Amino acid sequence: MRLPACLLAALLFALPAAAQVAAVKVGVLTDMSGPFADQVGQGSVTAAQLAAEDFMRENPAMRVEIVHADHQNKPDVGSAIARRWVDTEGVQAIVDLPNSGVGLAVIEIMKERHRTALASSTASSAVTGRFCAPTTVQWVNDTWAQGNAVARGVVQRGGESWYYLTVDYALGHALEGDAQAAVTAAGGRNLGAARHPLNTGDMSSLLLRAQSSGARVIALANTGTDAINAIKQANEFGLLRGGRVQIAALFLLLSDVHALGLNTAQGLLLASPFYWDLTDGTREWSRRWAARMGGRMPTMDHAGVYSATIAWLRAVARTGSIEGEAVVAEMRRAPIADPLFGEVTIRPDGRAVHAMHVFKVKAPGESRYAYDYYEHVATIPPDQAFRPLDQGGCPLVAR
């Protein structure tokens, strides 16, 4: 028997509405005092707070709380914080996660607890490979994208033979391996590598080994203070004099260039999906962030915290769920128009795909105002910027 239209409408109206989430808590798990503190640290907390404020203006009925902690670049410390946050303090998503060892450990914890890991600063390509999870999004970049972009730029400019200075943990290993593959694909040669502990102050013996290899390119498979120290000492030793040897910085951020100064950093080629002075959208947001950060400008990791956090919050609002699988599935459902990274598409392996850019660091005389550090060299479109979906080994990807 068919129900009258008016009765059917009344019954439908009486059904409970989709559940609404009244409040969420996002944890920024970062390096507040170690070698990556300038790249992430308090700047990542500020970026997450901006995302929460912008979202609450859109959704005044939903409250967002931001908490933060220092993982001290120790996977056991980061894991303990993540478990406490999720199990006893009601954190539904963890964002930032610099240091790939920490990031990979936390990704596993969040998968087990069906909450979301927004690995915006975790650069290992393993995040979307064997560690991929239906509760993870890797937003900013990864070692495959960094190696691919930098190798293209350097090999095309005559840097055919490479030697690597590699930080001895997950990030460095992935940077080295992915860059070696990219160099080979571009027609270059890999001559060797030397590894060092995180936060190494004296790079002199490593640099001398690189010099004795005869390589035209010393590739830095590290970041933060390790990369800064290596570049400074290479200049002090005169290794770069005359242009016979070139530094390829596989993972250098704006904060690192600022710490080096343009006199030392000029001419370096680097890759990034974000630069504060790239578009009207990046400039507007960066100035808001800078107003709270003493006038400094954000790194790509700071931008990634903002974009990943607000995308997650909007997906929570649309789904009415805090379950990691449901929220990430909603984030994947359609392209995201992001003012900081351009159009972003999230793949089944959790990789957020967008354009990558190659930049050359300006000479002091070319810089016109504060933080005017980069000259745009090339844009790598999204379909070429990241490792192909079927090559990462992610078990979520249908073969």
Side-chain angles (χ1 to χ4, degrees):
M1 180 181 69
R2 297 180 64 184
L3 292 172
C6 60
L7 179 58
L8 181 60
L11 288 171
L12 290 173
F13 184 77
L15 290 174
Q20 296 297 306
V21 177
V24 294
K25 187 182 290 189
V26 177
V28 182
L29 190 53
T30 190
D31 178 358
M32 296 295 292
S33 56
F36 313 128
D38 286 342
Q39 296 179 349
V40 284
Q42 181 56 46
S44 291
V45 179
T46 297
Q49 290 168 339
L50 285 171
E53 292 166 14
D54 289 351
F55 173 78
M56 286 189 287
R57 276 192 288 271
E58 300 171 359
N59 299 269
M62 189 168 160
R63 186 174 63 85
V64 181
E65 182 181 355
I66 302 296
V67 297
H68 69 273
D70 185 351
H71 59 45
Q72 302 172 43
N73 291 291
K74 299 176 181 178
D76 58 338
V77 172
S79 297
I81 293 168
R83 291 191 187 97
R84 186 186 76 243
W85 273 355
V86 176
D87 294 346
T88 67
E89 298 181 18
V91 169
Q92 292 96 14
I94 296 179
V95 69
D96 206 16
L97 298 172
N99 185 308
S100 294
V102 175
L104 294 172
V106 171
I107 282 167
E108 289 296 295
I109 292 168
M110 301 304 275
K111 179 175 72 173
E112 292 168 2
R113 286 153 173 77
H114 305 285
R115 294 296 181 261
T116 306
L118 300 169
S120 55
S121 303
T122 310
S124 173
S125 57
V127 172
T128 56
R130 62 190 181 92
F131 284 90
C132 72
T135 54
T136 300
V137 176
Q138 187 178 29
W139 194 274
V140 177
N141 67 350
D142 58 43
T143 52
W144 192 98
Q146 292 291 129
N148 177 59
V150 176
R152 280 188 182 196
V154 174
V155 173
Q156 287 174 1
R157 287 165 174 78
E160 296 178 355
S161 54
W162 289 52
Y163 189 93
Y164 298 82
L165 268 57
T166 303
V167 62
D168 194 10
Y169 76 103
L171 171 69
H173 302 168
L175 276 172
E176 179 188 313
D178 288 333
Q180 285 176 336
V183 167
T184 300
R189 294 176 295 127
N190 298 297
L191 302 184
R195 293 185 172 175
H196 65 84
L198 180 66
N199 219 9
T200 295
D202 185 1
M203 297 278 185
S204 56
S205 63
L206 302 174
L207 288 165
L208 291 173
R209 287 166 63 182
Q211 183 183 32
S212 66
S213 74
R216 294 289 304 275
V217 180
I218 300 174
L220 303 181
N222 53 23
T223 189
T225 55
D226 289 326
I228 291 169
N229 289 338
I231 294 168
K232 283 182 176 178
Q233 289 170 26
N235 274 281
E236 290 167 4
F237 296 160
L239 297 186
L240 308 182
R241 208 166 291 145
R244 198 197 71 80
V245 176
Q246 183 177 0
I247 293 283
L250 297 178
F251 196 19
L252 204 68
L253 278 73
L254 187 78
S255 54
D256 305 322
V257 173
H258 183 73
L260 286 163
L262 294 184
N263 276 322
T264 301
Q266 61 181 307
L268 287 173
L269 287 173
L270 53 88
S272 177
F274 169 88
Y275 174 48
W276 78 269
D277 205 12
L278 189 63
T279 68
D280 289 342
T282 60
R283 282 186 283 272
E284 189 275 333
W285 180 82
S286 297
R287 288 173 180 138
R288 289 176 56 207
W289 184 92
R292 303 188 184 191
M293 293 296 298
R296 54 186 284 212
M297 285 298 171
T299 67
M300 61 181 175
D301 285 344
H302 298 139
V305 168
Y306 174 88
S307 292
T309 300
I310 199 166
W312 179 83
L313 290 169
R314 287 167 175 164
V316 169
R318 291 194 299 270
T319 60
S321 175
I322 57 170
E323 293 294 311
E325 292 86 348
V327 181
V328 172
E330 174 62 21
M331 294 173 73
R332 289 199 306 263
R333 186 178 60 81
I336 298 166
D338 187 90
L340 306 187
F341 293 86
E343 183 173 278
V344 177
T345 302
I346 299 173
R347 303 190 313 198
D349 61 354
R351 174 69 260 170
V353 174
H354 42 67
M356 287 285 291
H357 307 283
V358 180
F359 298 99
K360 181 179 179 182
V361 178
K362 292 183 175 181
E366 298 171 325
S367 180
R368 300 163 295 167
Y369 40 80
Y371 288 91
D372 176 26
Y373 292 163
Y374 294 172
E375 173 190 344
H376 184 255
V377 173
T379 294
I380 302 173
D383 62 340
Q384 300 175 30
F386 294 93
R387 180 176 59 194
L389 180 60
D390 63 352
Q391 295 181 15
C394 172
L396 301 175
V397 177
R399 293 294 187 269

